[in-house]
Amino acid sequence: MIIRRIQLHTLELPLVAPFTTSFGRMDVRRALIVEMTADVDGKEVTGWGEVSALEQPIYSPEYRAGVIDVIQRFLAPTLAEAQRDGSLTAERVSPALVKLLGHRMAKAGLEAAALDAQLRAAGQSFGEYLGVKRDRVPSAVSVGIHDSIPSLLDAVDGYLAEGYQRVKLKIKHGWDIEPVRAVREAHPDVPLQVDANTAYTLADAEHLRQLDAFDLLLIEQPLAEDDIREHALLARMMTTPMCLDESVVSVEKAADAIELGAVGIINIKPSRVGGYLEGKKIHDLAQSRGIAVWCGGMLETGVARGANAAFAAQDGFTLPGDISGSSRFYKEDITTPLEPVDGFMAVPTLAGLCEEPSRERLEGLTAETVTIDLA
Ligand code: NPG
């Protein structure tokens, strides 16, 4: 493929309700959408990708303005160089960028757009490309930190009434044991898990052990991103299975965490690890080592939400993913909203990774576009 142009659209999407995690409250999602114009086998196609970085480097070291800068300054010029001999494919995007360290979310967005362009040109869906057998995946919901337990219980009741198959509660100091107890008491049989987004240290081990009483599927990322060894220590002190998110940024980190006994379950977010293809490597490794995986979410628009459903239809995804309906976050999406039916999200069958966004809605929601011409 020859990439002609990359456009980076920053969209401003108001959330239907604030989403609060241990690192703060979000009222608006600024989504970064990659529009890539390319020639693939003589056809001019447009590929779409999404970059999950937040506004600030609080979930990962990346942030939206930095992503735009690194793509303009380094990643796009490197791809321009790599495609000179005509050998670039979506599979070669990540290897071509490997000498530029880090910036995995930025790379993931570019790889996704290239893969979308390539699959559109070939008339193949992402699910077919991955060879998935399932045509739908269980849909689960991540519930942010609320102001009060009654308000949390109301929200959980609403999501369960909508058919969501598993509930993940965000926790932090001062919002952990009691809200989890309340949800467990109200819903004794609901598959339930918690996510701390690095809010604790090993000194909190005794406190966190209280969560063992609530029959949780897992506790996700209680300690800091770099604390893989300490997660292994904590895992031995708790009966609740240990799940890692932020710490697993590559297949190598996944192997380290498995080897150290730091992880029993892995949350694979394709964006966090540098793209769907690195995510697939983690899936394959985990499957070979008997480690369960599930697909995380980053409040995706319709560009990445359906692709995540296809990704999560691979055999090793044995736990429900954070693949909820568009309407759980957004009143308006840039594609046809993706909504679960009877608690399951359909694996898209159209060519490419996603439905082409509506130009009108894209333009209406765009705050800023940066255009980079490559060839
Ligand atoms: O359903 O898309 C979703 C959101 C799932 O809770 C979710 N994501 O840490 O997993 C996470 C969390 C997150 C959201 C992290 C936004 C960072 C930013």
Side-chain angles (χ1 to χ4, degrees):
M1 70 186 333
I2 301 288
I3 303 167
R4 301 279 176 212
R5 168 179 282 192
I6 293 170
Q7 286 183 290
L8 304 172
H9 305 289
T10 298
L11 314 186
E12 275 185 16
L13 299 162
L15 300 186
V16 291
F19 186 63
T20 304
T21 66
S22 61
F23 42 67
R25 164 180 164 144
M26 198 188 300
D27 292 281
V28 175
R29 173 65 158 141
R30 287 194 182 76
L32 187 59
I33 302 296
V34 181
E35 178 179 359
M36 182 181 281
T37 316
D39 290 346
V40 185
D41 300 331
K43 287 180 215 164
E44 187 178 304
V45 277
T46 301
W48 298 88
E50 181 163 347
V51 179
S52 301
L54 305 180
E55 287 302 288
Q56 298 142 339
I58 46 177
Y59 165 80
S60 83
E62 292 181 83
Y63 59 100
R64 186 183 52 81
V67 168
I68 296 174
D69 186 70
V70 79
I71 292 178
Q72 270 186 298
R73 212 184 278 267
F74 298 108
L75 304 183
T78 303
L79 287 180
E81 186 61 38
Q83 68 181 357
R84 282 230 182 115
D85 64 0
S87 67
L88 190 70
T89 58
E91 293 77 7
R92 293 198 187 142
V93 166
S94 174
L97 299 175
V98 79
K99 63 185 176 186
L100 299 164
L101 305 181
H103 299 282
R104 295 173 195 275
M105 291 185 172
K107 293 173 180 175
L110 294 175
E111 182 193 81
L115 193 52
D116 184 46
Q118 190 170 298
L119 293 178
R120 276 178 203 280
Q124 191 180 34
S125 73
F126 188 37
E128 284 164 351
Y129 173 83
L130 293 169
V132 303
K133 300 188 263 307
R134 286 186 272 174
D135 62 3
R136 59 180 199 165
V137 293
S139 186
V141 67
S142 169
V143 185
I145 290 162
H146 277 243
D147 293 338
S148 70
I149 288 180
S151 134
L152 172 72
L153 290 173
D154 270 0
V156 169
D157 285 351
Y159 292 129
L160 292 175
E162 285 178 54
Y164 285 111
Q165 298 200 30
R166 173 280 269 158
V167 172
K168 157 167 141 178
L169 301 179
K170 293 285 190 182
I171 57 167
K172 64 170 186 179
H173 285 283
W175 183 265
D176 45 24
I177 312 303
E178 292 318 315
V180 174
R181 186 196 311 282
V183 172
R184 178 45 90 214
E185 278 174 4
H187 303 284
D189 300 323
V190 142
L192 189 63
Q193 64 193 54
V194 293
D195 180 9
N197 286 114
T198 75
Y200 299 89
T201 69
L202 203 51
D204 298 308
E206 276 310 312
H207 178 72
L208 291 171
R209 269 158 63 112
Q210 296 176 75
L211 292 168
D212 285 342
F214 305 123
D215 188 24
L216 302 177
L217 287 170
L218 57 92
I219 175 169
E220 183 180 355
Q221 197 72 40
L223 312 178
E225 176 178 328
D226 287 335
D227 287 345
I228 294 186
R229 187 184 55 84
E230 293 197 345
H231 275 104
L233 296 175
L234 182 59
R236 277 179 228 137
M237 299 167 74
M238 297 184 70
T239 56
T240 305
M242 187 62 61
C243 170
L244 292 179
D245 170 8
E246 283 91 329
S247 295
V248 178
V249 296
S250 62
V251 69
E252 290 81 8
K253 288 283 183 210
D256 288 352
I258 294 170
E259 209 58 49
L260 281 167
V263 73
I265 296 169
I266 300 176
N267 166 350
I268 306 181
K269 282 184 188 152
S271 60
R272 185 195 70 229
V273 304
Y276 288 105
L277 303 181
E278 182 78 8
K280 180 169 173 22
K281 287 187 201 163
I282 297 175
H283 162 271
D284 295 349
L285 168 77
Q287 206 179 15
S288 74
R289 302 296 301 271
I291 300 284
V293 300
W294 57 281
C295 183
M298 293 284 290
L299 295 85
E300 284 79 6
T301 72
V303 167
R305 193 167 288 275
N308 281 358
F311 185 72
Q314 296 176 91
D315 289 347
F317 285 86
T318 51
L319 290 169
D322 284 343
I323 306 172
S324 51
S326 310
S327 61
R328 182 256 176 277
F329 290 113
Y330 305 120
K331 201 156 72 194
E332 192 184 16
D333 203 336
I334 49 172
T335 63
T336 307
L338 291 147
E339 297 299 334
V341 176
D342 299 331
F344 288 90
M345 192 67 106
V347 172
T349 53
L350 38 71
L353 263 74
C354 63
E355 178 190 308
E356 185 135 2
S358 136
R359 278 288 162 198
E360 199 188 320
R361 266 173 282 149
L362 187 70
E363 277 161 25
L365 294 163
T366 296
E368 179 198 1
T369 294
V370 170
T371 300
I372 309 160
D373 286 309
L374 274 80

